[in-house]
PDB file of all heavy atoms in Angstrom:
ATOM      1  N   LYS G   1       0.850  -1.192   0.000  1.00 97.00           N
ATOM      2  CA  LYS G   1       0.000   0.000   0.000  1.00 97.00           C
ATOM      3  C   LYS G   1       0.890   1.248   0.000  1.00 97.00           C
ATOM      4  O   LYS G   1       2.058   1.195   0.388  1.00 97.00           O
ATOM      5  CB  LYS G   1      -0.898   0.033   1.238  1.00 97.00           C
ATOM      6  CG  LYS G   1      -1.980  -1.019   1.277  1.00 97.00           C
ATOM      7  CD  LYS G   1      -2.840  -0.849   2.527  1.00 97.00           C
ATOM      8  CE  LYS G   1      -3.960  -1.888   2.571  1.00 97.00           C
ATOM      9  NZ  LYS G   1      -4.805  -1.716   3.777  1.00 97.00           N
ATOM     10  N   TYR G   2       0.297   2.357  -0.410  1.00 98.00           N
ATOM     11  CA  TYR G   2       1.007   3.631  -0.330  1.00 98.00           C
ATOM     12  C   TYR G   2       0.770   4.257   1.038  1.00 98.00           C
ATOM     13  O   TYR G   2      -0.318   4.147   1.624  1.00 98.00           O
ATOM     14  CB  TYR G   2       0.528   4.572  -1.435  1.00 98.00           C
ATOM     15  CG  TYR G   2       1.085   4.217  -2.791  1.00 98.00           C
ATOM     16  CD1 TYR G   2       0.327   3.499  -3.708  1.00 98.00           C
ATOM     17  CD2 TYR G   2       2.377   4.587  -3.146  1.00 98.00           C
ATOM     18  CE1 TYR G   2       0.835   3.152  -4.950  1.00 98.00           C
ATOM     19  CE2 TYR G   2       2.901   4.250  -4.392  1.00 98.00           C
ATOM     20  CZ  TYR G   2       2.126   3.533  -5.283  1.00 98.00           C
ATOM     21  OH  TYR G   2       2.640   3.189  -6.504  1.00 98.00           O
ATOM     22  N   TYR G   3       1.811   4.948   1.518  1.00 98.00           N
ATOM     23  CA  TYR G   3       1.706   5.600   2.822  1.00 98.00           C
ATOM     24  C   TYR G   3       0.726   6.783   2.763  1.00 98.00           C
ATOM     25  O   TYR G   3       0.550   7.405   1.722  1.00 98.00           O
ATOM     26  CB  TYR G   3       3.069   6.121   3.270  1.00 98.00           C
ATOM     27  CG  TYR G   3       4.072   5.035   3.606  1.00 98.00           C
ATOM     28  CD1 TYR G   3       5.211   4.846   2.827  1.00 98.00           C
ATOM     29  CD2 TYR G   3       3.881   4.207   4.716  1.00 98.00           C
ATOM     30  CE1 TYR G   3       6.142   3.862   3.134  1.00 98.00           C
ATOM     31  CE2 TYR G   3       4.807   3.215   5.021  1.00 98.00           C
ATOM     32  CZ  TYR G   3       5.930   3.045   4.231  1.00 98.00           C
ATOM     33  OH  TYR G   3       6.844   2.069   4.534  1.00 98.00           O
ATOM     34  N   GLY G   4       0.153   7.082   3.904  1.00 98.00           N
ATOM     35  CA  GLY G   4      -0.727   8.237   3.988  1.00 98.00           C
ATOM     36  C   GLY G   4       0.041   9.540   4.066  1.00 98.00           C
ATOM     37  O   GLY G   4      -0.349  10.538   3.455  1.00 98.00           O
ATOM     38  N   MET G   5       1.161   9.549   4.827  1.00 98.00           N
ATOM     39  CA  MET G   5       1.944  10.769   5.031  1.00 98.00           C
ATOM     40  C   MET G   5       3.436  10.450   4.995  1.00 98.00           C
ATOM     41  O   MET G   5       3.861   9.401   5.478  1.00 98.00           O
ATOM     42  CB  MET G   5       1.595  11.409   6.383  1.00 98.00           C
ATOM     43  CG  MET G   5       0.152  11.865   6.517  1.00 98.00           C
ATOM     44  SD  MET G   5      -0.213  12.597   8.146  1.00 98.00           S
ATOM     45  CE  MET G   5      -0.295  11.105   9.156  1.00 98.00           C
ATOM     46  N   LEU G   6       4.195  11.380   4.414  1.00 98.00           N
ATOM     47  CA  LEU G   6       5.652  11.280   4.397  1.00 98.00           C
ATOM     48  C   LEU G   6       6.252  12.559   4.957  1.00 98.00           C
ATOM     49  O   LEU G   6       5.715  13.663   4.746  1.00 98.00           O
ATOM     50  CB  LEU G   6       6.177  11.084   2.981  1.00 98.00           C
ATOM     51  CG  LEU G   6       5.730   9.862   2.192  1.00 98.00           C
ATOM     52  CD1 LEU G   6       6.257   9.957   0.757  1.00 98.00           C
ATOM     53  CD2 LEU G   6       6.200   8.579   2.854  1.00 98.00           C
ATOM     54  N   ASN G   7       7.366  12.441   5.646  1.00 98.00           N
ATOM     55  CA  ASN G   7       8.119  13.613   6.085  1.00 98.00           C
ATOM     56  C   ASN G   7       8.918  14.141   4.898  1.00 98.00           C
ATOM     57  O   ASN G   7       9.666  13.386   4.267  1.00 98.00           O
ATOM     58  CB  ASN G   7       9.061  13.232   7.234  1.00 98.00           C
ATOM     59  CG  ASN G   7       9.850  14.421   7.748  1.00 98.00           C
ATOM     60  OD1 ASN G   7      10.806  14.862   7.117  1.00 98.00           O
ATOM     61  ND2 ASN G   7       9.439  14.932   8.887  1.00 98.00           N
ATOM     62  N   ILE G   8       8.766  15.413   4.573  1.00 98.00           N
ATOM     63  CA  ILE G   8       9.405  15.929   3.360  1.00 98.00           C
ATOM     64  C   ILE G   8      10.919  15.986   3.482  1.00 98.00           C
ATOM     65  O   ILE G   8      11.632  15.935   2.473  1.00 98.00           O
ATOM     66  CB  ILE G   8       8.864  17.321   2.964  1.00 98.00           C
ATOM     67  CG1 ILE G   8       9.201  18.375   4.020  1.00 98.00           C
ATOM     68  CG2 ILE G   8       7.368  17.270   2.706  1.00 98.00           C
ATOM     69  CD1 ILE G   8       8.978  19.793   3.535  1.00 98.00           C
ATOM     70  N   GLY G   9      11.459  16.074   4.700  1.00 98.00           N
ATOM     71  CA  GLY G   9      12.900  16.175   4.869  1.00 98.00           C
ATOM     72  C   GLY G   9      13.627  14.852   4.764  1.00 98.00           C
ATOM     73  O   GLY G   9      14.766  14.786   4.303  1.00 98.00           O
ATOM     74  N   SER G  10      12.952  13.773   5.164  1.00 98.00           N
ATOM     75  CA  SER G  10      13.603  12.469   5.184  1.00 98.00           C
ATOM     76  C   SER G  10      12.987  11.469   4.214  1.00 98.00           C
ATOM     77  O   SER G  10      13.629  10.472   3.854  1.00 98.00           O
ATOM     78  CB  SER G  10      13.525  11.876   6.596  1.00 98.00           C
ATOM     79  OG  SER G  10      12.165  11.593   6.940  1.00 98.00           O
ATOM     80  N   GLY G  11      11.736  11.711   3.814  1.00 98.00           N
ATOM     81  CA  GLY G  11      11.027  10.750   2.983  1.00 98.00           C
ATOM     82  C   GLY G  11      10.459   9.581   3.780  1.00 98.00           C
ATOM     83  O   GLY G  11       9.834   8.687   3.210  1.00 98.00           O
ATOM     84  N   GLN G  12      10.650   9.600   5.087  1.00 98.00           N
ATOM     85  CA  GLN G  12      10.170   8.521   5.931  1.00 98.00           C
ATOM     86  C   GLN G  12       8.664   8.660   6.187  1.00 98.00           C
ATOM     87  O   GLN G  12       8.135   9.776   6.257  1.00 98.00           O
ATOM     88  CB  GLN G  12      10.906   8.509   7.267  1.00 98.00           C
ATOM     89  CG  GLN G  12      12.385   8.146   7.146  1.00 98.00           C
ATOM     90  CD  GLN G  12      12.569   6.749   6.569  1.00 98.00           C
ATOM     91  OE1 GLN G  12      12.048   5.765   7.102  1.00 98.00           O
ATOM     92  NE2 GLN G  12      13.324   6.666   5.478  1.00 98.00           N
ATOM     93  N   PRO G  13       7.964   7.525   6.337  1.00 98.00           N
ATOM     94  CA  PRO G  13       6.534   7.608   6.627  1.00 98.00           C
ATOM     95  C   PRO G  13       6.274   8.210   7.998  1.00 98.00           C
ATOM     96  O   PRO G  13       7.079   8.040   8.927  1.00 98.00           O
ATOM     97  CB  PRO G  13       6.090   6.147   6.568  1.00 98.00           C
ATOM     98  CG  PRO G  13       7.313   5.349   6.854  1.00 98.00           C
ATOM     99  CD  PRO G  13       8.442   6.130   6.243  1.00 98.00           C
ATOM    100  N   ILE G  14       5.161   8.907   8.099  1.00 98.00           N
ATOM    101  CA  ILE G  14       4.706   9.447   9.374  1.00 98.00           C
ATOM    102  C   ILE G  14       3.508   8.622   9.826  1.00 98.00           C
ATOM    103  O   ILE G  14       2.516   8.528   9.108  1.00 98.00           O
ATOM    104  CB  ILE G  14       4.297  10.928   9.244  1.00 98.00           C
ATOM    105  CG1 ILE G  14       5.497  11.768   8.792  1.00 98.00           C
ATOM    106  CG2 ILE G  14       3.728  11.455  10.552  1.00 98.00           C
ATOM    107  CD1 ILE G  14       5.140  13.215   8.473  1.00 98.00           C
ATOM    108  N   PHE G  15       3.625   8.026  10.996  1.00 97.00           N
ATOM    109  CA  PHE G  15       2.531   7.223  11.529  1.00 97.00           C
ATOM    110  C   PHE G  15       1.829   7.980  12.651  1.00 97.00           C
ATOM    111  O   PHE G  15       2.487   8.611  13.486  1.00 97.00           O
ATOM    112  CB  PHE G  15       3.045   5.874  12.037  1.00 97.00           C
ATOM    113  CG  PHE G  15       3.642   5.012  10.957  1.00 97.00           C
ATOM    114  CD1 PHE G  15       4.977   4.637  10.992  1.00 97.00           C
ATOM    115  CD2 PHE G  15       2.856   4.583   9.898  1.00 97.00           C
ATOM    116  CE1 PHE G  15       5.516   3.842   9.995  1.00 97.00           C
ATOM    117  CE2 PHE G  15       3.400   3.781   8.883  1.00 97.00           C
ATOM    118  CZ  PHE G  15       4.726   3.416   8.942  1.00 97.00           C
ATOM    119  N   ARG G  16       0.530   7.897  12.662  1.00 96.00           N
ATOM    120  CA  ARG G  16      -0.254   8.621  13.646  1.00 96.00           C
ATOM    121  C   ARG G  16      -0.144   7.964  15.019  1.00 96.00           C
ATOM    122  O   ARG G  16      -0.184   6.742  15.140  1.00 96.00           O
ATOM    123  CB  ARG G  16      -1.715   8.678  13.219  1.00 96.00           C
ATOM    124  CG  ARG G  16      -1.912   9.422  11.909  1.00 96.00           C
ATOM    125  CD  ARG G  16      -3.364   9.547  11.530  1.00 96.00           C
ATOM    126  NE  ARG G  16      -4.104  10.392  12.464  1.00 96.00           N
ATOM    127  CZ  ARG G  16      -5.193  11.076  12.140  1.00 96.00           C
ATOM    128  NH1 ARG G  16      -5.678  11.017  10.907  1.00 96.00           N
ATOM    129  NH2 ARG G  16      -5.811  11.807  13.029  1.00 96.00           N
ATOM    130  N   GLU G  17      -0.039   8.832  16.041  1.00 94.00           N
ATOM    131  CA  GLU G  17      -0.061   8.340  17.406  1.00 94.00           C
ATOM    132  C   GLU G  17      -1.473   7.872  17.750  1.00 94.00           C
ATOM    133  O   GLU G  17      -2.460   8.358  17.196  1.00 94.00           O
ATOM    134  CB  GLU G  17       0.367   9.454  18.368  1.00 94.00           C
ATOM    135  CG  GLU G  17       1.759  10.004  18.124  1.00 94.00           C
ATOM    136  CD  GLU G  17       2.846   9.019  18.515  1.00 94.00           C
ATOM    137  OE1 GLU G  17       2.551   8.102  19.313  1.00 94.00           O
ATOM    138  OE2 GLU G  17       3.981   9.162  18.018  1.00 94.00           O
ATOM    139  N   ALA G  18      -1.559   6.936  18.689  1.00 92.00           N
ATOM    140  CA  ALA G  18      -2.871   6.431  19.102  1.00 92.00           C
ATOM    141  C   ALA G  18      -3.753   7.552  19.642  1.00 92.00           C
ATOM    142  O   ALA G  18      -4.985   7.511  19.523  1.00 92.00           O
ATOM    143  CB  ALA G  18      -2.691   5.340  20.154  1.00 92.00           C
ATOM    144  N   SER G  19      -3.142   8.566  20.216  1.00 95.00           N
ATOM    145  CA  SER G  19      -3.885   9.681  20.811  1.00 95.00           C
ATOM    146  C   SER G  19      -4.253  10.761  19.793  1.00 95.00           C
ATOM    147  O   SER G  19      -4.963  11.711  20.135  1.00 95.00           O
ATOM    148  CB  SER G  19      -3.072  10.311  21.937  1.00 95.00           C
ATOM    149  OG  SER G  19      -1.823  10.789  21.431  1.00 95.00           O
ATOM    150  N   ASP G  20      -3.764  10.617  18.569  1.00 95.00           N
ATOM    151  CA  ASP G  20      -4.003  11.648  17.546  1.00 95.00           C
ATOM    152  C   ASP G  20      -5.384  11.442  16.927  1.00 95.00           C
ATOM    153  O   ASP G  20      -5.578  10.573  16.078  1.00 95.00           O
ATOM    154  CB  ASP G  20      -2.921  11.560  16.463  1.00 95.00           C
ATOM    155  CG  ASP G  20      -3.056  12.645  15.402  1.00 95.00           C
ATOM    156  OD1 ASP G  20      -3.984  13.471  15.500  1.00 95.00           O
ATOM    157  OD2 ASP G  20      -2.224  12.660  14.472  1.00 95.00           O
ATOM    158  N   ASP G  21      -6.337  12.275  17.339  1.00 93.00           N
ATOM    159  CA  ASP G  21      -7.696  12.158  16.813  1.00 93.00           C
ATOM    160  C   ASP G  21      -8.053  13.305  15.867  1.00 93.00           C
ATOM    161  O   ASP G  21      -9.225  13.532  15.573  1.00 93.00           O
ATOM    162  CB  ASP G  21      -8.713  12.092  17.955  1.00 93.00           C
ATOM    163  CG  ASP G  21      -8.667  13.337  18.841  1.00 93.00           C
ATOM    164  OD1 ASP G  21      -7.791  14.196  18.618  1.00 93.00           O
ATOM    165  OD2 ASP G  21      -9.505  13.443  19.766  1.00 93.00           O
ATOM    166  N   TYR G  22      -7.039  14.043  15.395  1.00 95.00           N
ATOM    167  CA  TYR G  22      -7.296  15.120  14.442  1.00 95.00           C
ATOM    168  C   TYR G  22      -7.857  14.525  13.157  1.00 95.00           C
ATOM    169  O   TYR G  22      -7.218  13.661  12.539  1.00 95.00           O
ATOM    170  CB  TYR G  22      -6.008  15.889  14.156  1.00 95.00           C
ATOM    171  CG  TYR G  22      -6.187  17.075  13.236  1.00 95.00           C
ATOM    172  CD1 TYR G  22      -6.829  18.234  13.670  1.00 95.00           C
ATOM    173  CD2 TYR G  22      -5.711  17.047  11.930  1.00 95.00           C
ATOM    174  CE1 TYR G  22      -6.988  19.327  12.843  1.00 95.00           C
ATOM    175  CE2 TYR G  22      -5.869  18.141  11.082  1.00 95.00           C
ATOM    176  CZ  TYR G  22      -6.502  19.264  11.546  1.00 95.00           C
ATOM    177  OH  TYR G  22      -6.676  20.351  10.711  1.00 95.00           O
ATOM    178  N   PRO G  23      -9.047  14.939  12.718  1.00 94.00           N
ATOM    179  CA  PRO G  23      -9.708  14.228  11.620  1.00 94.00           C
ATOM    180  C   PRO G  23      -9.221  14.576  10.223  1.00 94.00           C
ATOM    181  O   PRO G  23      -9.408  13.785   9.294  1.00 94.00           O
ATOM    182  CB  PRO G  23     -11.178  14.642  11.784  1.00 94.00           C
ATOM    183  CG  PRO G  23     -11.113  16.004  12.405  1.00 94.00           C
ATOM    184  CD  PRO G  23      -9.913  15.975  13.316  1.00 94.00           C
ATOM    185  N   TYR G  24      -8.590  15.751  10.061  1.00 96.00           N
ATOM    186  CA  TYR G  24      -8.350  16.258   8.713  1.00 96.00           C
ATOM    187  C   TYR G  24      -6.951  15.950   8.183  1.00 96.00           C
ATOM    188  O   TYR G  24      -6.248  16.824   7.663  1.00 96.00           O
ATOM    189  CB  TYR G  24      -8.621  17.762   8.668  1.00 96.00           C
ATOM    190  CG  TYR G  24     -10.018  18.118   9.126  1.00 96.00           C
ATOM    191  CD1 TYR G  24     -10.227  18.974  10.204  1.00 96.00           C
ATOM    192  CD2 TYR G  24     -11.136  17.579   8.491  1.00 96.00           C
ATOM    193  CE1 TYR G  24     -11.511  19.290  10.626  1.00 96.00           C
ATOM    194  CE2 TYR G  24     -12.418  17.892   8.903  1.00 96.00           C
ATOM    195  CZ  TYR G  24     -12.595  18.745   9.981  1.00 96.00           C
ATOM    196  OH  TYR G  24     -13.880  19.047  10.395  1.00 96.00           O
ATOM    197  N   LYS G  25      -6.523  14.717   8.339  1.00 96.00           N
ATOM    198  CA  LYS G  25      -5.291  14.246   7.717  1.00 96.00           C
ATOM    199  C   LYS G  25      -5.398  12.743   7.522  1.00 96.00           C
ATOM    200  O   LYS G  25      -6.221  12.086   8.169  1.00 96.00           O
ATOM    201  CB  LYS G  25      -4.062  14.628   8.549  1.00 96.00           C
ATOM    202  CG  LYS G  25      -3.997  14.044   9.944  1.00 96.00           C
ATOM    203  CD  LYS G  25      -2.730  14.552  10.643  1.00 96.00           C
ATOM    204  CE  LYS G  25      -2.623  14.034  12.069  1.00 96.00           C
ATOM    205  NZ  LYS G  25      -1.417  14.567  12.762  1.00 96.00           N
ATOM    206  N   PRO G  26      -4.571  12.173   6.632  1.00 97.00           N
ATOM    207  CA  PRO G  26      -4.716  10.748   6.313  1.00 97.00           C
ATOM    208  C   PRO G  26      -4.310   9.843   7.470  1.00 97.00           C
ATOM    209  O   PRO G  26      -3.663  10.261   8.436  1.00 97.00           O
ATOM    210  CB  PRO G  26      -3.775  10.560   5.119  1.00 97.00           C
ATOM    211  CG  PRO G  26      -3.456  11.925   4.630  1.00 97.00           C
ATOM    212  CD  PRO G  26      -3.560  12.828   5.804  1.00 97.00           C
ATOM    213  N   GLY G  27      -4.667   8.579   7.307  1.00 96.00           N
ATOM    214  CA  GLY G  27      -4.182   7.560   8.221  1.00 96.00           C
ATOM    215  C   GLY G  27      -2.789   7.119   7.829  1.00 96.00           C
ATOM    216  O   GLY G  27      -2.104   7.766   7.024  1.00 96.00           O
ATOM    217  N   ASN G  28      -2.348   5.991   8.377  1.00 97.00           N
ATOM    218  CA  ASN G  28      -0.982   5.518   8.120  1.00 97.00           C
ATOM    219  C   ASN G  28      -0.763   5.124   6.663  1.00 97.00           C
ATOM    220  O   ASN G  28       0.350   5.222   6.141  1.00 97.00           O
ATOM    221  CB  ASN G  28      -0.660   4.342   9.029  1.00 97.00           C
ATOM    222  CG  ASN G  28      -0.563   4.764  10.495  1.00 97.00           C
ATOM    223  OD1 ASN G  28      -0.412   5.940  10.801  1.00 97.00           O
ATOM    224  ND2 ASN G  28      -0.678   3.799  11.394  1.00 97.00           N
ATOM    225  N   HIS G  29      -1.819   4.661   6.011  1.00 97.00           N
ATOM    226  CA  HIS G  29      -1.762   4.325   4.586  1.00 97.00           C
ATOM    227  C   HIS G  29      -2.938   4.997   3.890  1.00 97.00           C
ATOM    228  O   HIS G  29      -4.003   5.189   4.483  1.00 97.00           O
ATOM    229  CB  HIS G  29      -1.796   2.816   4.370  1.00 97.00           C
ATOM    230  CG  HIS G  29      -0.582   2.111   4.900  1.00 97.00           C
ATOM    231  ND1 HIS G  29      -0.525   1.618   6.176  1.00 97.00           N
ATOM    232  CD2 HIS G  29       0.618   1.843   4.321  1.00 97.00           C
ATOM    233  CE1 HIS G  29       0.665   1.069   6.373  1.00 97.00           C
ATOM    234  NE2 HIS G  29       1.381   1.185   5.264  1.00 97.00           N
ATOM    235  N   THR G  30      -2.717   5.371   2.653  1.00 97.00           N
ATOM    236  CA  THR G  30      -3.774   6.065   1.929  1.00 97.00           C
ATOM    237  C   THR G  30      -4.963   5.136   1.713  1.00 97.00           C
ATOM    238  O   THR G  30      -4.807   3.939   1.490  1.00 97.00           O
ATOM    239  CB  THR G  30      -3.256   6.601   0.582  1.00 97.00           C
ATOM    240  OG1 THR G  30      -4.241   7.453  -0.004  1.00 97.00           O
ATOM    241  CG2 THR G  30      -2.917   5.485  -0.366  1.00 97.00           C
ATOM    242  N   ASP G  31      -6.149   5.704   1.822  1.00 97.00           N
ATOM    243  CA  ASP G  31      -7.383   4.933   1.773  1.00 97.00           C
ATOM    244  C   ASP G  31      -8.200   5.368   0.564  1.00 97.00           C
ATOM    245  O   ASP G  31      -8.663   6.511   0.485  1.00 97.00           O
ATOM    246  CB  ASP G  31      -8.178   5.164   3.061  1.00 97.00           C
ATOM    247  CG  ASP G  31      -9.449   4.333   3.138  1.00 97.00           C
ATOM    248  OD1 ASP G  31      -9.759   3.620   2.169  1.00 97.00           O
ATOM    249  OD2 ASP G  31     -10.136   4.419   4.174  1.00 97.00           O
ATOM    250  N   ILE G  32      -8.382   4.457  -0.385  1.00 97.00           N
ATOM    251  CA  ILE G  32      -9.138   4.757  -1.604  1.00 97.00           C
ATOM    252  C   ILE G  32     -10.576   5.133  -1.296  1.00 97.00           C
ATOM    253  O   ILE G  32     -11.187   5.942  -2.001  1.00 97.00           O
ATOM    254  CB  ILE G  32      -9.098   3.535  -2.551  1.00 97.00           C
ATOM    255  CG1 ILE G  32      -7.668   3.328  -3.058  1.00 97.00           C
ATOM    256  CG2 ILE G  32     -10.070   3.690  -3.718  1.00 97.00           C
ATOM    257  CD1 ILE G  32      -7.456   1.998  -3.740  1.00 97.00           C
ATOM    258  N   TRP G  33     -11.125   4.586  -0.214  1.00 97.00           N
ATOM    259  CA  TRP G  33     -12.542   4.783   0.105  1.00 97.00           C
ATOM    260  C   TRP G  33     -12.752   5.763   1.258  1.00 97.00           C
ATOM    261  O   TRP G  33     -13.848   5.826   1.812  1.00 97.00           O
ATOM    262  CB  TRP G  33     -13.190   3.436   0.440  1.00 97.00           C
ATOM    263  CG  TRP G  33     -12.903   2.399  -0.587  1.00 97.00           C
ATOM    264  CD1 TRP G  33     -12.117   1.300  -0.453  1.00 97.00           C
ATOM    265  CD2 TRP G  33     -13.373   2.369  -1.944  1.00 97.00           C
ATOM    266  NE1 TRP G  33     -12.061   0.582  -1.619  1.00 97.00           N
ATOM    267  CE2 TRP G  33     -12.830   1.208  -2.557  1.00 97.00           C
ATOM    268  CE3 TRP G  33     -14.205   3.198  -2.701  1.00 97.00           C
ATOM    269  CZ2 TRP G  33     -13.090   0.871  -3.895  1.00 97.00           C
ATOM    270  CZ3 TRP G  33     -14.460   2.862  -4.028  1.00 97.00           C
ATOM    271  CH2 TRP G  33     -13.910   1.719  -4.608  1.00 97.00           C
ATOM    272  N   GLU G  34     -11.728   6.517   1.636  1.00 96.00           N
ATOM    273  CA  GLU G  34     -11.853   7.490   2.728  1.00 96.00           C
ATOM    274  C   GLU G  34     -13.035   8.432   2.483  1.00 96.00           C
ATOM    275  O   GLU G  34     -13.091   9.116   1.466  1.00 96.00           O
ATOM    276  CB  GLU G  34     -10.561   8.307   2.840  1.00 96.00           C
ATOM    277  CG  GLU G  34     -10.649   9.547   3.696  1.00 96.00           C
ATOM    278  CD  GLU G  34     -11.006   9.248   5.138  1.00 96.00           C
ATOM    279  OE1 GLU G  34     -10.379   8.344   5.723  1.00 96.00           O
ATOM    280  OE2 GLU G  34     -11.917   9.912   5.662  1.00 96.00           O
ATOM    281  N   PRO G  35     -13.994   8.507   3.405  1.00 94.00           N
ATOM    282  CA  PRO G  35     -15.174   9.341   3.167  1.00 94.00           C
ATOM    283  C   PRO G  35     -14.927  10.845   3.327  1.00 94.00           C
ATOM    284  O   PRO G  35     -15.463  11.646   2.571  1.00 94.00           O
ATOM    285  CB  PRO G  35     -16.177   8.861   4.230  1.00 94.00           C
ATOM    286  CG  PRO G  35     -15.623   7.584   4.763  1.00 94.00           C
ATOM    287  CD  PRO G  35     -14.148   7.673   4.586  1.00 94.00           C
ATOM    288  N   LEU G  36     -14.133  11.237   4.315  1.00 95.00           N
ATOM    289  CA  LEU G  36     -14.133  12.633   4.748  1.00 95.00           C
ATOM    290  C   LEU G  36     -13.286  13.543   3.868  1.00 95.00           C
ATOM    291  O   LEU G  36     -12.167  13.209   3.502  1.00 95.00           O
ATOM    292  CB  LEU G  36     -13.628  12.726   6.195  1.00 95.00           C
ATOM    293  CG  LEU G  36     -13.656  14.118   6.838  1.00 95.00           C
ATOM    294  CD1 LEU G  36     -15.083  14.643   6.956  1.00 95.00           C
ATOM    295  CD2 LEU G  36     -12.979  14.090   8.202  1.00 95.00           C
TER     296      LEU G  36
END
């Protein structure tokens, strides 16, 4: 799968913390069926 977010300085994937409930950004991997 493709990652949801990458760090522009390193190219490394950014994974969401369990406590991160901010709705307006992708999950760990991009979701073709993401509703929001």
Side-chain angles (χ1 to χ4, degrees):
K1 291 182 179 181
Y2 284 99
Y3 292 113
M5 297 179 284
L6 300 174
N7 181 284
I8 64 167
S10 66
Q12 293 299 304
I14 299 173
F15 297 118
R16 298 183 66 153
E17 300 289 340
S19 59
D20 183 0
D21 60 355
Y22 183 72
Y24 304 121
K25 62 181 178 182
N28 292 342
H29 294 91
T30 189
D31 183 357
I32 293 167
W33 310 110
E34 167 61 48
L36 184 63

